[in-house]
Amino acid sequence: MTAAYVALEGGHVLEARGRAPGTARGELVFTTAYTGYEESLTDPSYEEQILAFSYPLIGNYGVREERFESDRVHPRAVLAKELTEDVADWLASEGVPAVDRLDTRDVVTDIRDSGAMKCGIAVGEDVTEEDALAELEACKAMSEHTEIGEQVSVDEQTTYGADNDGETVALVDCGAKGSIVDSLLARNATVHVLPHDASAHDVDALEPDILFISNGPGDPANYEHAIDLVQAFAEDTPVAGICLGQQIVAEALGGATEKMTFGHRGVNQPVLDLESGQVVMTTQNHGYTVAEPGDHLEVTQINVNDDTPEGLDGVDYDIITRQYHPEANPGPEDTLDFFDDVLAMADARATTAVPADD
């Protein structure tokens, strides 16, 4: 059996079975998703994190590229109770260390009790506990990854659906899942995907109907360029955001964000709409949340478990954001109509801009 060691913040070291070799470090988090491991592992929001699966068997329906959310695996390493050969081989081919035969119940309980924590992993024939502890010692806090946007964003503008005749969306890529683009294309939009550090001039040149801030990893306060874009366009252009995008919009408009103890990661997070009283199940993956929405935004949806904001609307601007992932993949598709609501903002703006007949 290949040796594997997992060093947790505080110095406790777990021994496991190695399934994909290498050393890694990152913030240890868990997901409760029971399906969708391919989508989770290719979600850019897991950049610089080590992902523990609470579901005991990961890989029981193989690995299919058409379910990927990006072009690579993003967690720095993977922990599970049991990984199938398909998933272990895939992670090894991507250079991502993986271990199993851990009591993931204990790991998840530790994270719930102590919070997301620094972690070091070493897997290989000759590794030792000290190798894992060395990785732990070198691990940085998520807020210290100030350039994390560069690791997950496109390098240059890319356009999808150029022949579509619907709304034009400027999607600022802070680590966007592919399903967000797909959801907009399915509604006949033209989507211009822009780097996370795009300038106001870059956006202006597109004459977009919607400015859309994507999901992504890390501390929203580190996305200064995206914050600047929201401030520049919110008054005159409808703005939407998902996950990190909601946090960035709040930061830009006088609100505040904060780090959560262990975050929300899974496909069964209940969200209450405050106007309708309806509860929907949602897919989530985030470690930060909006603490205060500020004067320009109002909370329209909350998490049933902890009352954190799950939806924001603009008070005096055309803005709609969601903390969860309406595009799902994986998870329930109860909230896909969010994308209809986003595009409807542009339609409403266009209608009010048309002068009345004399």
Side-chain angles (χ1 to χ4, degrees), residues 39-40 42-47 69-70 74 148-149 152-153 171-181 194 196 212-218 223 226 240-248 283-286 322-329 339:
E39 294 94 331
S40 294
T42 53
D43 183 346
S45 293
Y46 282 115
E47 188 79 1
E69 287 295 319
S70 68
H74 285 274
I148 197 168
V152 294
S153 181
L171 176 63
V172 180
D173 179 15
C174 301
K177 290 172 59 183
S179 292
I180 294 177
V181 175
L194 297 164
H196 75 102
F212 202 126
I213 311 298
S214 83
N215 66 291
Y223 290 82
I242 286 177
C243 199
L244 175 75
Q246 170 162 293
Q247 300 156 24
I248 287 172
T283 296
Q284 301 199 16
N285 175 15
H286 62 101
R322 295 291 181 263
Q323 182 58 67
Y324 52 88
H325 285 270
E327 77 284 356
N329 287 341
F339 295 97

Side-chain angles (χ1 to χ4, degrees), residues 40-183:
S40 294
L41 288 169
T42 53
D43 183 346
S45 293
Y46 282 115
E47 188 79 1
E48 297 294 351
Q49 293 179 321
I50 292 175
L51 180 57
F53 287 93
S54 68
Y55 191 74
L57 175 61
I58 300 301
N60 56 320
Y61 51 84
V63 177
R64 295 176 60 182
E65 188 172 347
E66 57 264 34
R67 289 195 282 253
F68 293 1
E69 287 295 319
S70 68
D71 60 1
R72 65 178 175 90
V73 173
H74 285 274
R76 290 297 185 231
V78 174
L79 280 62
K81 175 70 173 177
E82 182 179 354
L83 294 168
T84 65
E85 291 293 333
D86 285 342
V87 172
D89 290 346
W90 173 36
L91 294 172
S93 72
E94 294 262 346
V96 175
V99 306
D100 65 4
R101 293 191 179 169
L102 280 170
D103 189 337
T104 48
R105 295 170 299 180
D106 282 349
V107 172
V108 169
T109 299
D110 284 348
I111 298 171
R112 285 184 59 90
D113 290 345
S114 303
M117 63 185 72
K118 295 177 181 178
C119 179
I121 287 183
V123 184
E125 296 297 334
D126 301 316
V127 300
T128 64
E129 290 188 15
E130 286 68 30
D131 295 319
L133 288 166
E135 290 294 321
L136 173 64
E137 180 67 23
C139 187
K140 298 195 297 187
M142 285 302 292
S143 61
E144 295 175 356
H145 290 284
T146 57
E147 304 300 325
I148 197 168
E150 293 184 9
Q151 299 170 211
V152 294
S153 181
V154 294
D155 294 325
E156 58 186 18
Q157 179 187 318
T158 306
T159 299
Y160 299 91
D163 295 331
N164 290 352
D165 58 4
E167 290 77 11
T168 298
V169 179
L171 176 63
V172 180
D173 179 15
C174 301
K177 290 172 59 183
S179 292
I180 294 177
V181 175
D182 292 342
S183 296

Side-chain angles (χ1 to χ4, degrees), residues 210-279:
I210 302 282
L211 175 66
F212 202 126
I213 311 298
S214 83
N215 66 291
D219 187 339
N222 288 328
Y223 290 82
E224 296 176 359
H225 296 283
I227 290 171
D228 290 344
L229 287 178
V230 174
Q231 292 172 340
F233 286 91
E235 185 172 348
D236 299 316
T237 303
V239 176
I242 286 177
C243 199
L244 175 75
Q246 170 162 293
Q247 300 156 24
I248 287 172
V249 170
E251 287 271 355
L253 298 179
T257 59
E258 63 185 2
K259 199 172 192 309
M260 305 173 75
T261 303
F262 53 84
H264 297 158
R265 297 176 181 88
V267 296
N268 58 351
Q269 287 283 336
V271 169
L272 170 66
D273 185 273
L274 297 176
E275 180 177 359
S276 69
Q278 180 183 15
V279 173

Side-chain angles (χ1 to χ4, degrees), residues 265-336:
R265 297 176 181 88
V267 296
N268 58 351
Q269 287 283 336
V271 169
L272 170 66
D273 185 273
L274 297 176
E275 180 177 359
S276 69
Q278 180 183 15
V279 173
V280 293
M281 302 306 290
T282 66
T283 296
Q284 301 199 16
N285 175 15
H286 62 101
Y288 287 80
T289 188
V290 174
E292 295 291 341
D295 295 336
H296 296 288
L297 300 166
E298 63 177 346
V299 177
T300 58
Q301 298 181 337
I302 60 172
N303 190 287
V304 173
N305 293 329
D306 60 13
D307 292 336
T308 50
E310 295 284 1
L312 301 176
D313 280 8
V315 173
D316 41 15
Y317 302 138
D318 292 328
I319 294 174
I320 180 172
T321 67
R322 295 291 181 263
Q323 182 58 67
Y324 52 88
H325 285 270
E327 77 284 356
N329 287 341
E333 298 182 347
D334 300 30
T335 56
L336 278 171

